[in-house]
Amino acid sequence: MAKAAKDKWIYYQRPGNESATRLFFFPYAGKGASGYRELADSFGPGVEPVLVQTPGREGRLAEPAVADLGDLVVQLADALRGRMDVPFAFFGHSMGSLIALELAAHLERTEPGLPGPVGLFVSAETAPHLLLPPQVPDDRLSDAEFLADRTRVREDSPLLSDPLFTELMLPSYRADCVLVERYTATARDTVLRCPVSAFTGEYDEIVPPESVAGWKQHTAGRFRLRLLPSGEHAFFEAESLPLITAAVEGDLRAARQS
């Protein structure tokens, strides 16, 4: 029963070769694990992608999303511990970057007998120490006020055009926003032992490259920043995929050899 309960955390896992590094992907705000599927399948056999599904999205939509990052990290550590029996690394896009960072820090701090991740890959997220809390906390806004706020909901969001989608996803998306806002206000000084690699769209107006470059302060190891030829915040388009996969595969090989 315990094993079955933990399997709900895994949306997809594709086996790699015998020397593969297991790469865990963590969801970004308002999106489930399926958002990474095309990227995951673009890796060669030296990477074993594992797409992690957190509560409140896709197959776990009936479960309330977790609005506290500390609580979510504890749940993830328990759910994924049995899959960290080979060299592994973390990948997070946007909000997923913060989840990956704090889970890595939690493991380094509380699991001295377990080797930590060999690398952290963050994507399109401002460095934690540069994040600023909103003037009005999310949990003080009505749904209508939240949807009218363009700093939280972009004009092209399906939350504004699809009533059924809004009914299904608004609670989870708001919980994601609360998670980030609470984290922003309380914890900005996490430093990992493992190397950190960051990706950003060269023309991303939501999270500009200079704010992503600040991730250098969150590792005691090597830091690498890569600019992708994109103006999109979610830049998993065809022209970026080979650049991301080549960089991740190269960094993982270097980490395993160091």
Side-chain angles (χ1 to χ4, degrees), residues 101-102 104-105 108 117-122 127-129 183 188-198 212-225 251 255:
L101 169 70
E102 290 304 322
E108 288 187 353
V118 299
L120 173 70
F121 297 90
V122 299
H129 69 284
Y183 175 78
R188 305 181 189 181
D189 56 357
T190 300
V191 178
L192 300 180
R193 296 193 298 267
C194 72
V196 172
S197 297
V212 181
W215 279 90
K216 182 177 182 179
Q217 295 191 28
H218 295 275
T219 176
R222 184 190 68 248
F223 175 75
R224 291 179 177 172
L225 173 66
D251 287 356

Side-chain angles (χ1 to χ4, degrees), residues 52-248:
V52 178
Q53 193 73 284
T54 54
R57 61 206 76 220
E58 297 180 339
R60 303 186 67 182
L61 189 60
E63 302 175 54
V66 182
D68 183 88
L69 183 53
D71 291 344
L72 181 58
V73 161
V74 170
Q75 293 181 44
L76 285 166
D78 180 62
L80 302 179
R81 186 174 288 107
R83 297 176 187 269
M84 297 176 183
D85 56 344
V86 298
F88 65 94
F90 294 156
F91 188 109
H93 177 76
S94 196
M95 179 189 77
S97 300
L98 305 178
I99 296 172
L101 169 70
E102 290 304 322
L103 178 58
H106 175 82
L107 294 173
E108 288 187 353
R109 184 173 62 249
T110 66
E111 303 277 359
L114 178 71
V118 299
L120 173 70
F121 297 90
V122 299
S123 166
E125 180 57 87
T126 298
H129 69 284
L130 298 177
L131 288 168
L132 298 175
Q135 292 185 336
V136 180
D138 177 78
D139 53 13
R140 294 184 185 175
L141 298 176
S142 68
D143 285 347
E145 290 170 329
F146 177 86
L147 290 169
D149 187 339
R150 291 297 161 265
T151 65
R152 291 176 165 96
V153 182
R154 298 175 62 183
E155 290 184 1
D156 58 354
S157 171
L159 289 170
L160 300 178
S161 59
D162 186 336
L164 179 58
F165 182 85
T166 304
E167 181 181 356
L168 291 174
M169 289 304 302
L170 184 57
S172 295
Y173 184 62
R174 294 201 63 171
D176 288 344
C177 290
V178 170
L179 180 149
V180 173
E181 291 172 6
R182 288 177 178 172
Y183 175 78
T184 298
T186 60
R188 305 181 189 181
D189 56 357
T190 300
V191 178
L192 300 180
R193 296 193 298 267
C194 72
V196 172
S197 297
F199 298 95
T200 180
E202 188 173 4
Y203 310 107
D204 186 345
E205 296 181 355
I206 298 176
V207 181
E210 57 268 24
S211 68
V212 181
W215 279 90
K216 182 177 182 179
Q217 295 191 28
H218 295 275
T219 176
R222 184 190 68 248
F223 175 75
R224 291 179 177 172
L225 173 66
R226 293 180 174 91
L227 300 181
L228 301 174
S230 175
E232 296 297 321
H233 181 57
F235 40 65
F236 301 138
E237 59 253 12
E239 64 179 354
S240 294
L241 289 182
L243 302 176
I244 297 172
T245 55
V248 170

